[in-house]
Amino acid sequence: MPRTTELSKPEIRPEKMKIILATDCGSTTSKARFFKKLGKEYRFVASGEAPTTVEAPFEDVTLGVRNAIREVEELTGHKLLAPHGVITPSRGEKEGVDLYVTTSSAGGGLQMMVAGVVKTMTAESAERAALGAGAIVMDVMAVDDGRRPHEKIGRIRHLRPDMILMAGGTDGGTVKHVVETAELIDAAKPKPRLGVDFELPIVFAGNKEARIPIQRILDKTFALKIVDNIRPVLELENTDPARNVIHELFMEHVMSHAPGYDNLMKWTQIPIMPTPAAEGKMFRTIAETYNANVIGVGLGGATTNVYSMYEKKFVRTVSANLGMSYSICNVLKETGTKNIIRWIPFDIEEENLRNHLYNKMIRPTTIPQSVEDLVVEHAVAREALRLGFEHHKLLARPLRGVQRRRTIADIFEQRAFEETYIDMLHVDWLAGTGGLLSHAPRRAQSALMLIDGFQPEGVTKLAQDSVFMMPHLGVLSTVHPKAALEIFEKDCLVRIGVCIAPRGVGKEGEEVMKVVVSMPDNSVLEEQVDFGSMKKIPLKEGEKAEVEIFPFRGGDIGRGSGKRRRVVVEGGVVGIILDARGRPLVLPDNNNERKQKLIEWFRFLDAYPERLYEICCR
Amino acid sequence: MSSQVYTPGLKRKASTKVRKTRRLPIRGKVLVKKGDNVKADTIVARTFIPGDVHVVNISGLLGIDAWETSEYMVKREGEEVKEEEPIAMIKSFFGLFKRYAFAPASGTVERISDITGQVLIRESQIPLEVDAYIPGKVVETLSNEGATIETPAAFIQGIFGIGGERKGKLMMIAENPNEVLTAKQLESKCNGRILVGGALVTSDALQKAVKVGAKGIVVGGIDDQDLTSFLGYQIGIAITGEEDIPLTLIITEGFGEMGMSEKTFSLLREFDGKYASINGATQIRAGVMRPEIVIPRPELTEKIGDSEEKKKFLEQGLSPGTPIRIIRKPYFGALGVVSKLPIPLQTIETESDVRVLEAELADGKRVIVPRANVEIIEE
């Protein structure tokens, strides 16, 4: 029987914890973050990174974790490792830790298949629940998905997921369709991805009337868990019970079969958490702390995770196969060469670009050494972010099957219920994490990637994870919220600044916006911005300024077309970014004009070293 | 001071002990025993996977309620049926009219559902066999799962491949590692052979290789467009090996025209005409494998490297004097040795602060590169 980690673990007493170590086993890199209580508050001290070693020839995740921790030891002189694992509890100031926690997305993370009855109703709710638990959803099956039963059976067999989530039917409704799905799953007899002998976990979160027949069909062959219905009535989506049991099963059935995880589970004092679940916790923290609408993104090596907390609704999506190392060629495949090249300000042959990205895919742990290489990766990142957000918007939409009355505003705005409820004009924060964003040498680079990928409208605060520690703090917050929040505020959340961008498009060179900024030193700045350009007004982190924005010619800044808006903004490492490039953002068709524009924007934000512009002028 | 922060290099060994665990995907019967000598095509384990399933909507076909399904079945759960045989029947109008539901395939009635009105017919089991892949000795059997085969061999890993396991004799086509493999060089004598090229294989050469019946191609590089046109689709994730293609392709260096490393090329040349087992399967994520060329060398009797040696090597990591290869621009492909491993982070051209190493290249030049951008040459 697989072992749960909660057993035989010592009691955790947050007030006693002074030295904390957290790791994240990413698909590409294992990252160690070292925290300490300095005086009265918890702070980040040092970090170490090393390639993840789930894969051959190592096939033991703890080797990579040890290597990353050893980097921390080298940098701090604090002894953390013993032959048996991480030293706990601490012994004095220079040895051991009081708490060790970890997250993981290595080895493919948590790969799930979900099934429901109606594609846009229970199947979609099941997908949201699985994604909410930090899973990669390999397929969504529904009675009305257009596939014939034998095709579905073939697909289930082929997938070999880590787990299946089955939903379907409201409580007391018809049981026929959900039982039909169970029969197909049973007929396919899918085998789990890891471990020959263990039973594939299936979570049933559908019509409670169907529990007995479902048990009869699935209980013998699978590790069946039954939880409350995900859609007990059409008007309600209840994903928490399914999500919680997915986390439990992830530990018991999946992690315990991945190479080296049996050992890693012994090292940690609390269960290993899927990285997207931990990351999501911290984006929720931003939304709750600042009472704001937040969009967050974790741009990883294999996946792009997008999180939204919009009008108190939290949605997390994991776009499997959109990432910056293992999946970089899938971004290329999804978006096409031209869409990547459009973000590169120098000439590059399509063939060279493709070969370059394929070489990154097969050697995923390498990093750009030249500035051209860096710009190419940033171009791919913009597309990964854009595609990840497109995917997210498909799930961040109102519940289907619920009768609604259209309001006058809906009619005037021609808003369809199929569309996302996220209105970029009302997004207060846009925040990013993940290796590429956190390690961007200049914060202006991540600002531009976030802006180009998400195209925020109105007034949007930009933030990012300083050195990639949001997953670490997410898992830490489950046992020590105080420490997690203190470190998050002081050392993790880097305020990049604020982006002011009117919705609408104009003509090149046409004046589209005027801003009047009352600076902290009481000076008043007035800036006019023409269509197609960007400007930057420096405003340091911790400083505030009052900004009055006058959009022209139908531009909307959040108060209606052409209406002015007055707002107090906070500064950041980049400052106030005035973006008058239009929403939606369209780049010039002419190649030379496009390159000129990119250089102009990069220069306005001082985003790249001078050497880039020399290369562009060659 | 050594560092473990590095990318493991590709293996290129003239003599090593190669062990292959041949495992069934589900439990079955192991057909060999410890100590047996096996050929590459010896079947070492066999199992049966459940046959395909056909779903018949009985209630819909007969116009009955789902809960009545069992009542109208003429075949019961567990009974065998033949294709086109009636499995359910309804009589109407005092038995004058009969309507049937027929079995879509031969098999067994697996389930009759009075909830959904569906019946599942399962075709007979499909045998699944695993061969030895390499000739050698069975050193271990895994109860109901498979066996481990061991042989002394030359062992070369590629960086990326497509196509699964294949066996054949190696045949050098290129005369040097920088040569481009073209269609003109391939003739009927390449039939059944694993062809070794130089820096690139062209699209025409790939087609010709298929035409002449080659089993595989080992080459330095390929243009991504040629790979896409050969496969018929674009690869997005490096998880390969299941492609339905007539030959296995192994790339040793990367995408684009890339001279095959001297070491790899000379090793392959040394074994020109020898029998090899190759596998293009590549998984850079989740499980992970690189494509490989195994050239069995039964003539080797002396003690050769074992897993302990490998473990020691891996633990040793990077240290001054470690032979390395740079695997990213601007020094992509350059060989050298580690000369220094500075501990503090250093700022590189991108302005990133990263851990670097100083390498002395083969021409004596000293360069600074991120540690992440080198691989150790394991020889």
Side-chain angles (χ1 to χ4, degrees):
Chain A
M1 268 298 285
R3 190 184 54 85
T4 55
T5 48
E6 284 105 324
L7 298 175
S8 73
K9 295 286 180 188
E11 191 194 347
I12 293 167
R13 298 173 67 187
E15 68 281 5
K16 298 273 179 197
M17 289 171 194
K18 288 187 175 165
I19 305 168
I20 300 166
L21 178 70
T23 55
D24 170 58
C25 311
S27 56
T28 320
T29 315
S30 296
K31 304 116 189 154
R33 304 291 180 257
F34 187 51
F35 311 111
K36 257 183 166 177
K37 192 170 188 182
L38 302 170
K40 286 189 174 169
E41 59 184 11
Y42 289 91
R43 299 298 299 260
F44 162 71
V45 176
S47 66
E49 302 196 353
T52 293
T53 49
V54 174
E55 61 178 68
F58 309 100
E59 292 181 277
D60 180 355
V61 73
T62 59
L63 289 175
V65 171
R66 274 183 184 277
N67 290 342
I69 297 172
R70 208 165 283 139
E71 292 249 308
V72 175
E73 285 185 323
E74 274 183 29
L75 292 167
T76 60
H78 192 111
K79 187 171 166 54
L80 298 164
L81 288 165
H84 67 272
V86 174
I87 303 167
T88 49
S90 64
R91 299 165 198 159
E93 285 297 305
K94 282 286 175 191
E95 194 178 327
V97 298
D98 301 314
L99 176 68
Y100 170 61
V101 291
T102 191
T103 59
S104 175
S105 60
L110 167 60
Q111 301 187 6
M112 288 184 69
M113 197 202 93
V114 303
V117 171
V118 180
K119 196 175 171 195
T120 54
M121 290 160 65
T122 45
E124 192 172 299
S125 292
E127 186 181 8
R128 267 193 289 267
L131 289 165
I136 288 168
V137 175
M138 304 164 91
D139 202 342
V140 182
M141 224 155 257
V143 171
D144 63 341
D145 67 8
R147 286 178 283 189
R148 296 173 62 200
H150 71 273
E151 291 173 318
K152 288 181 192 171
I153 292 171
R155 178 76 178 144
I156 300 168
R157 249 189 199 185
H158 175 75
L159 281 180
R160 303 192 69 165
D162 292 322
M163 208 183 293
I164 295 176
L165 171 62
M166 245 184 88
T170 51
D171 282 344
T174 175
V175 296
K176 181 187 165 188
H177 300 301
V178 69
V179 170
E180 199 175 293
T181 309
E183 286 173 355
L184 295 184
I185 292 172
D186 182 53
K189 308 217 179 312
K191 293 285 164 198
R193 185 167 59 105
L194 304 164
V196 178
D197 286 331
F198 93 99
E199 293 172 339
L200 181 77
I202 296 185
V203 178
F204 177 65
N207 181 358
K208 63 181 180 191
E209 304 293 325
R211 286 178 183 176
I212 292 171
I214 293 284
Q215 249 171 333
R216 211 174 286 145
I217 297 166
L218 299 176
D219 214 15
K220 271 181 253 164
T221 327
F222 303 96
L224 179 68
K225 284 259 181 184
I226 294 177
V227 296
D228 288 350
N229 195 347
I230 228 163
R231 289 287 285 270
V233 289
L234 282 177
E235 292 74 18
L236 182 72
E237 187 173 89
N238 174 34
T239 56
D240 283 352
R243 202 166 59 210
N244 293 340
V245 81
I246 290 169
H247 279 169
E248 275 173 35
L249 293 168
F250 175 65
M251 283 298 294
E252 287 179 19
H253 288 256
V254 184
M255 281 288 89
S256 56
H257 291 87
Y261 278 87
D262 48 345
N263 254 331
L264 189 65
M265 284 159 75
K266 284 178 205 154
W267 295 9
T268 60
Q269 280 142 291
I270 59 167
I272 301 169
M273 205 172 184
T275 305
E279 215 168 59
K281 272 189 87 67
M282 291 324 285
F283 285 115
R284 277 181 97 138
T285 303
I286 300 179
E288 282 156 8
T289 310
Y290 300 103
N291 190 27
N293 288 333
V294 173
I295 289 178
V297 61
L299 179 58
T303 61
T304 297
N305 311 324
V306 180
Y307 312 84
S308 64
M309 185 79 163
Y310 191 87
E311 288 168 359
K312 315 281 182 209
K313 280 194 284 281
F314 180 69
V315 172
R316 168 177 24 221
T317 50
V318 181
S319 297
N321 304 335
L322 284 183
M324 292 308 300
S325 61
Y326 295 105
S327 323
I328 197 164
C329 287
N330 213 50
V331 181
L332 172 74
K333 190 177 162 183
E334 294 277 316
T335 193
T337 323
K338 287 193 168 55
N339 271 347
I340 294 173
I341 287 182
R342 69 186 172 139
W343 300 110
I344 301 174
F346 49 81
D347 288 321
I348 181 165
E349 296 282 331
E350 285 192 25
E351 191 183 325
N352 285 347
L353 174 77
R354 284 194 306 266
N355 282 335
H356 177 80
L357 298 182
Y358 271 89
N359 281 322
K360 167 80 180 184
M361 172 184 79
I362 56 178
R363 294 187 170 96
T365 53
T366 60
I367 58 171
Q369 187 171 3
S370 68
V371 72
E372 295 114 294
D373 244 12
L374 182 76
V375 168
V376 168
E377 287 206 358
H378 287 178
V380 182
R382 285 171 167 85
E383 287 302 304
L385 295 173
R386 184 179 68 79
L387 292 169
F389 191 40
E390 292 295 318
H391 176 210
H392 184 82
K393 285 192 281 191
L394 291 177
L395 283 166
R397 56 184 186 181
L399 289 183
R400 305 304 180 84
V402 179
Q403 284 197 350
R404 278 189 204 85
R405 189 175 290 168
R406 285 171 81 85
T407 63
I408 294 288
D410 292 330
I411 294 162
F412 274 108
E413 289 175 23
Q414 295 184 322
R415 194 157 57 205
F417 287 125
E418 293 74 40
E419 285 175 11
T420 179
Y421 49 70
I422 297 174
D423 181 347
M424 295 306 283
L425 272 177
H426 303 298
V427 171
D428 306 301
W429 285 76
L430 176 58
T433 183
L436 184 126
L437 289 171
S438 295
H439 295 321
R442 295 188 189 185
R443 302 292 189 201
Q445 293 164 6
S446 15
L448 262 174
M449 283 187 269
L450 288 171
I451 294 171
D452 294 343
F454 287 87
Q455 301 195 23
E457 296 169 355
V459 181
T460 317
K461 292 185 183 80
L462 301 175
Q464 76 165 87
D465 185 352
S466 60
V467 289
F468 188 69
M469 60 168 108
M470 281 174 90
H472 307 74
L473 297 181
V475 63
L476 174 61
S477 72
T478 61
V479 280
H480 203 329
K482 181 180 178 289
L485 199 63
E486 278 179 13
I487 300 162
F488 181 66
E489 276 288 332
K490 293 261 165 42
D491 301 311
C492 171
L493 194 68
V494 175
R495 286 159 178 84
I496 302 175
V498 63
C499 174
I500 299 176
R503 174 184 284 176
V505 285
K507 284 184 187 155
E508 185 66 28
E510 189 179 68
E511 195 179 299
V512 290
M513 164 170 71
K514 185 177 89 175
V515 292
V516 180
V517 188
S518 306
M519 299 296 283
D521 63 357
N522 294 324
S523 63
V524 176
L525 283 177
E526 199 176 306
E527 286 282 1
Q528 295 203 153
V529 200
D530 294 341
F531 184 76
S533 64
M534 294 184 94
K535 280 190 177 171
K536 182 178 85 167
I537 300 170
L539 183 68
K540 287 182 193 153
E541 226 175 333
E543 290 183 342
K544 285 185 180 175
E546 190 180 81
V547 183
E548 203 168 2
I549 312 153
F550 301 88
F552 298 145
R553 296 189 198 283
D556 190 348
I557 205 74
R559 293 286 181 270
S561 176
K563 291 191 177 152
R564 77 186 177 102
R565 180 176 179 184
R566 187 182 291 207
V567 64
V568 174
V569 299
E570 278 180 61
V573 283
V574 175
I576 302 169
I577 298 167
L578 305 175
D579 181 357
R581 298 177 298 166
R583 294 291 187 270
L585 197 166
V586 180
L587 284 99
D589 289 332
N590 178 285
N591 192 37
N592 284 335
E593 282 175 28
R594 178 190 61 79
K595 288 190 290 181
Q596 275 314 111
K597 273 287 165 200
L598 286 174
I599 293 169
E600 185 190 310
W601 299 336
F602 291 175
R603 277 194 187 277
F604 270 131
L605 295 191
D606 191 21
Y608 290 93
E610 208 48 41
R611 179 161 158 67
L612 173 67
Y613 311 117
E614 290 165 17
I615 294 161
C616 296
C617 294
R618 264 188 222 150
Chain B
M1 177 71 70
S2 73
S3 168
Q4 275 72 23
V5 185
Y6 69 96
T7 305
L10 302 175
K11 288 186 189 65
R12 285 161 283 202
K13 289 172 178 268
S15 59
T16 187
K17 203 184 281 177
V18 173
R19 278 185 174 208
K20 289 284 155 193
T21 297
R22 312 292 293 162
R23 208 187 281 262
L24 290 165
I26 54 173
R27 288 180 166 266
K29 192 175 180 190
V30 180
L31 306 173
V32 291
K33 55 184 191 302
K34 194 174 171 181
D36 283 358
N37 283 311
V38 292
K39 291 181 183 165
D41 52 7
T42 304
I43 304 299
V44 297
R46 181 180 292 132
T47 190
F48 293 92
I49 54 171
D52 288 339
V53 175
H54 299 264
V55 181
V56 189
N57 184 355
I58 298 291
S59 64
L61 286 169
L62 301 188
I64 56 172
D65 284 328
W67 58 268
E68 296 176 302
T69 307
S70 298
E71 205 179 308
Y72 291 99
M73 289 298 294
V74 292
K75 295 280 179 184
R76 296 286 141 206
E77 276 183 13
E79 264 191 78
E80 284 193 6
V81 292
K82 293 251 177 326
E83 191 178 348
E84 301 291 323
E85 193 180 355
I87 51 171
M89 181 190 68
I90 186 169
K91 290 178 192 171
S92 57
F93 212 68
F94 307 107
L96 285 176
F97 298 106
K98 289 175 185 169
R99 200 187 303 172
Y100 293 96
F102 300 98
S106 299
T108 310
V109 178
E110 181 166 287
R111 181 188 297 281
I112 299 167
S113 174
D114 284 338
I115 297 174
T116 62
Q118 294 192 145
V119 166
L120 305 186
I121 311 281
R122 168 99 51 195
E123 285 187 35
S124 33
Q125 292 181 320
I126 304 162
L128 185 75
E129 294 175 336
V130 173
D131 71 11
Y133 173 53
I134 52 169
K137 185 175 265 190
V138 177
V139 291
E140 188 188 11
T141 57
L142 309 157
S143 175
N144 303 318
E145 281 191 64
T148 303
I149 320 294
E150 185 182 287
T151 185
F155 184 73
I156 299 162
Q157 278 181 320
I159 189 79
F160 177 79
I162 50 169
E165 294 173 356
R166 285 196 165 86
K167 298 133 196 161
K169 284 183 178 169
L170 288 176
M171 183 176 182
M172 294 302 289
I173 303 292
E175 286 178 5
N176 69 69
N178 296 314
E179 200 175 292
V180 173
L181 182 63
T182 63
K184 275 186 195 163
Q185 294 166 288
L186 307 181
E187 302 164 3
S188 57
K189 63 180 180 186
C190 301
N191 182 284
R193 299 286 197 267
I194 296 161
L195 313 177
V196 180
L200 185 81
V201 59
T202 64
S203 184
D204 289 348
L206 277 168
Q207 297 302 339
K208 185 77 181 288
V210 171
K211 207 171 162 188
V212 299
K215 288 278 185 74
I217 292 181
V218 183
V219 70
I222 186 171
D223 273 329
D224 84 293
Q225 289 290 74
D226 290 343
L227 179 73
T228 302
S229 73
F230 182 60
L231 281 172
Y233 58 90
Q234 194 179 349
I235 283 186
I237 310 284
I239 298 177
T240 66
E242 302 282 326
E243 296 74 23
D244 184 17
I245 47 172
L247 58 75
T248 292
L249 173 68
I250 295 178
I251 304 300
T252 61
E253 313 304 314
F255 286 87
E257 187 172 333
M258 292 196 178
M260 187 183 284
S261 97
E262 289 281 353
K263 170 86 182 170
T264 307
F265 191 79
S266 59
L267 256 180
L268 289 166
R269 185 156 51 193
E270 189 182 333
F271 297 105
D272 188 13
K274 298 281 183 203
Y275 183 89
S277 300
I278 62 169
N279 187 359
T282 309
Q283 268 192 40
I284 298 171
R285 190 184 175 207
V288 180
M289 56 179 96
R290 293 283 185 186
E292 63 184 18
I293 303 144
V294 184
I295 308 155
R297 301 186 64 192
E299 75 279 7
L300 291 179
T301 48
E302 75 271 29
K303 193 174 183 297
I304 45 177
D306 57 16
S307 56
E308 270 309 301
E309 197 178 287
K310 171 181 140 189
K311 196 171 165 222
K312 196 174 156 195
F313 173 84
L314 291 172
E315 280 173 1
Q316 208 172 3
L318 285 169
S319 53
T322 306
I324 53 157
R325 182 160 179 267
I326 302 173
I327 53 173
R328 183 130 184 180
K329 285 185 198 172
Y331 306 108
F332 194 107
L335 300 171
V337 291
V338 175
S339 46
K340 276 183 195 161
L341 281 169
I343 290 176
L345 302 175
Q346 279 197 23
T347 307
I348 56 173
E349 187 194 292
T350 59
E351 299 182 339
S352 286
D353 293 326
V354 297
R355 301 208 82 181
V356 297
L357 59 79
E358 186 192 79
E360 187 176 332
L361 303 184
D363 60 4
K365 192 176 158 190
R366 287 185 176 229
V367 295
I368 299 286
V369 284
R371 292 187 194 182
N373 292 358
V374 302
E375 63 182 21
I376 293 183
I377 299 175
E378 193 183 335
E379 287 165 358

